[in-house]
Amino acid sequence: MSRNPYMRVVPKTTWYLRNGRYLRYMAREVTCIFIGLYAIILTMGLVRLAQGPDAWNRYIAGMAEPVALVFHLVALGFACYHAMGWFNVTPKAMRIPKGDGFVPDKTIIGVHYGIWGGVSLVLLILMGVL
Amino acid sequence: MSQRQITFEVLRYNPEADSAPWIQTYSVPCEEEWVILDAINYIKDHLDSTLSYRWSCHMAVCGSCGMTVNGEPTLSCKAFLRDYKGSKIRVEPLTHFPVERDLVVVLDDFMEKLQSVKPYLMPKTEKPVEEGEYKQTPRQLKNYKQYTMCINCMLCYAACPQYALNPEFIGPAALALTHRYNLDSRDAGRSERQEVVAQHEGVWECSFVGACSEVCPKDVDPAGAIQQMKIASTVDWHLEHLMPWRRK
Ligand code: SF4
Ligand code: FES
């Protein structure tokens, strides 16, 4: 008897279309594009600030344009999806022994949301929004 | 007992005669309490004795009956027919592995990888047998017990897109077993295993898709083990570079 194993090919560029699990993963990864764009816009703000009041005021005016507002809303949505996706898997990476078992997943996830909420609150207060 | 007639579409491949796999259909009178493996056994016993596949325990212990059922990596002795609606079920070999014949895949690659991570106890000092066993508290056992449950069924490799894209990746089950020994209080072999774990084809090839843990029939959670090892490797790196005096 001769061996002649057959290797089935996996499509290199469309593999994530094979099932919903891979699509969800890709969605999580794609969200980082929006977070990256947002970071670039923020860095641009710093550059304009360093260039003086005129440049800064133009930047602020630009940010009030409808396109900028829509982009920020969309980016915020994606950032939330990204953050929640990661928060929900943190218990896998953090196994903290406690008593006879481990700290429950819900507690670990809850603490992450708590810190997120706390930091957001402090920032909003510092910015004078609240 | 009620019967249900189900059409099984089964991938066939005869390495001596076929140039590529093809699909053969069988109509099987299934009993309600059957699992997928029972139907495959029925085909073998009553319809077509040439069908090749692996199985042994029929109780989710031996890990040999993994197949792709309706596109999903599945332990065929643990998959009840009542959970499959409709009158058609497609059964193929596990994806990402070469097909030896019909539903049998080649596992040589995994065997090599498993060896490379040294999945056995490496105590700091070997004790002569007369000195008795290496003792451990229940708490210490609990720390790694989950990762001992692996039955090497390979569903996690069949689910992992990174293993498909880069077959050099050590992969979920072998890494989960590495973690199992690293966490064992009786073991001192972690630094030796790190040579394999910390390289690119080790934990860093994983992008945390998490599919391995979703399909694992024994709740081993290989994805979790890999992320924990990533954190430990990162801590190692920082300690080494920021506190060079700690270097051994
Ligand atoms: S980790 Fe789970 S899915 Fe992977 S080989 Fe072990 S038991 Fe099977
Ligand atoms: S036959 Fe042993 S695990 Fe299915």
Side-chain angles (χ1 to χ4, degrees):
Chain A
M1 255 217 273
S2 64
R3 287 185 69 177
N4 180 23
Y6 185 89
M7 195 62 203
R8 292 157 295 168
V9 277
V10 172
K12 287 263 185 257
T13 46
T14 54
W15 60 267
Y16 52 87
L17 300 176
R18 276 193 293 162
N19 71 37
R21 196 178 281 139
Y22 298 163
L23 268 178
R24 276 200 303 283
Y25 157 74
M26 275 313 229
R28 186 189 78 197
E29 299 295 293
V30 164
T31 51
C32 71
I33 294 176
F34 288 86
I35 294 172
L37 286 175
Y38 175 71
I40 292 172
I41 293 176
L42 211 58
T43 316
M44 285 296 294
L46 276 180
V47 173
R48 294 285 173 260
L49 190 64
Q51 285 168 346
D54 276 357
W56 172 250
N57 286 334
R58 272 201 310 276
Y59 173 78
I60 291 295
M63 287 298 108
E65 294 286 336
V67 195
L69 290 178
V70 169
F71 170 79
H72 279 83
L73 270 180
V74 173
L76 178 66
F78 279 117
C80 289
Y81 180 82
H82 188 90
M84 287 168 178
W86 282 114
F87 282 177
N88 294 341
V89 292
T90 43
K92 284 191 183 297
M94 304 175 77
R95 236 159 135 255
I96 309 166
K98 184 179 164 235
D100 276 345
F102 298 92
V103 174
D105 290 4
K106 281 208 178 84
T107 312
I108 296 178
I109 297 173
V111 168
H112 278 84
Y113 277 99
I115 295 175
W116 186 23
V119 170
S120 302
L121 201 69
V122 169
L123 279 179
L124 289 175
I125 292 173
L126 284 179
M127 282 158 44
V129 179
L130 290 181
Chain B
M1 256 190 282
S2 62
Q3 260 193 2
R4 183 153 66 115
Q5 200 72 27
I6 299 180
T7 304
F8 279 83
E9 301 176 337
V10 182
L11 183 139
R12 303 297 311 270
Y13 173 65
N14 177 351
E16 282 144 2
D18 300 332
S19 59
W22 52 285
I23 296 291
Q24 183 161 7
T25 53
Y26 303 97
S27 184
V28 182
C30 298
E31 304 288 349
E32 195 51 37
E33 74 282 2
W34 276 9
V35 289
I36 298 279
L37 181 61
D38 293 318
I40 303 289
N41 281 339
Y42 183 94
I43 297 174
K44 178 91 175 170
D45 294 343
H46 302 281
L47 306 176
D48 185 351
S49 61
T50 66
L51 183 65
S52 297
Y53 55 101
R54 290 194 182 106
W55 73 287
S56 176
C57 69
H58 199 290
M59 52 193 279
V61 169
C62 73
S64 54
C65 70
M67 299 170 192
T68 307
V69 180
N70 288 349
E72 182 79 357
T74 305
L75 209 55
S76 60
C77 70
K78 202 177 174 237
F80 283 92
L81 286 179
R82 59 172 169 265
D83 296 326
Y84 292 83
K85 303 289 166 246
S87 58
K88 236 191 229 166
I89 295 177
R90 194 176 182 104
V91 182
E92 294 159 298
L94 288 178
T95 41
H96 309 162
F97 292 100
V99 184
E100 185 81 63
R101 176 186 288 262
D102 298 339
L103 300 172
V104 177
V105 292
V106 183
L107 296 175
D108 302 359
D109 179 54
F110 171 70
M111 293 305 172
E112 270 170 36
K113 285 174 177 160
L114 187 59
Q115 269 186 5
S116 74
V117 299
K118 308 192 171 162
Y120 37 80
L121 277 186
M122 292 192 269
K124 208 179 192 123
T125 42
E126 290 277 354
K127 286 200 295 187
V129 178
E130 306 81 63
E131 278 183 35
E133 54 283 89
Y134 298 90
K135 293 209 170 119
Q136 186 164 63
T137 65
R139 172 70 254 182
Q140 289 170 325
L141 169 68
K142 183 113 194 181
N143 282 345
Y144 66 85
K145 182 140 188 245
Q146 173 189 350
Y147 307 111
T148 67
M149 305 309 277
C150 174
I151 55 174
N152 297 350
C153 67
M154 300 294 103
L155 300 196
C156 49
Y157 284 76
C160 176
Q162 296 298 359
Y163 179 60
L165 294 171
N166 178 7
E168 298 294 312
F169 177 34
I170 299 292
L175 286 170
L177 269 169
T178 314
H179 197 46
R180 174 249 174 276
Y181 286 96
N182 287 347
L183 289 178
D184 194 316
S185 58
R186 301 163 297 176
D187 181 86
R190 178 167 176 268
S191 56
E192 266 186 61
R193 293 188 198 101
Q194 274 304 94
E195 285 166 26
V196 177
V197 168
Q199 59 169 341
H200 186 76
E201 281 75 28
V203 289
W204 301 110
E205 187 64 32
C206 165
S207 58
F208 206 175
V209 180
C212 54
S213 295
E214 284 180 45
V215 300
C216 176
K218 303 302 263 187
D219 293 325
V220 172
D221 192 10
I226 296 173
Q227 308 326 306
Q228 290 162 37
M229 281 195 283
K230 281 185 192 166
I231 294 177
S233 297
T234 310
V235 170
D236 280 355
W237 191 90
H238 282 95
L239 287 180
E240 200 174 294
H241 287 81
L242 300 177
M243 302 181 202
W245 60 90
R246 284 181 49 118
R247 244 180 255 174
K248 275 179 247 146

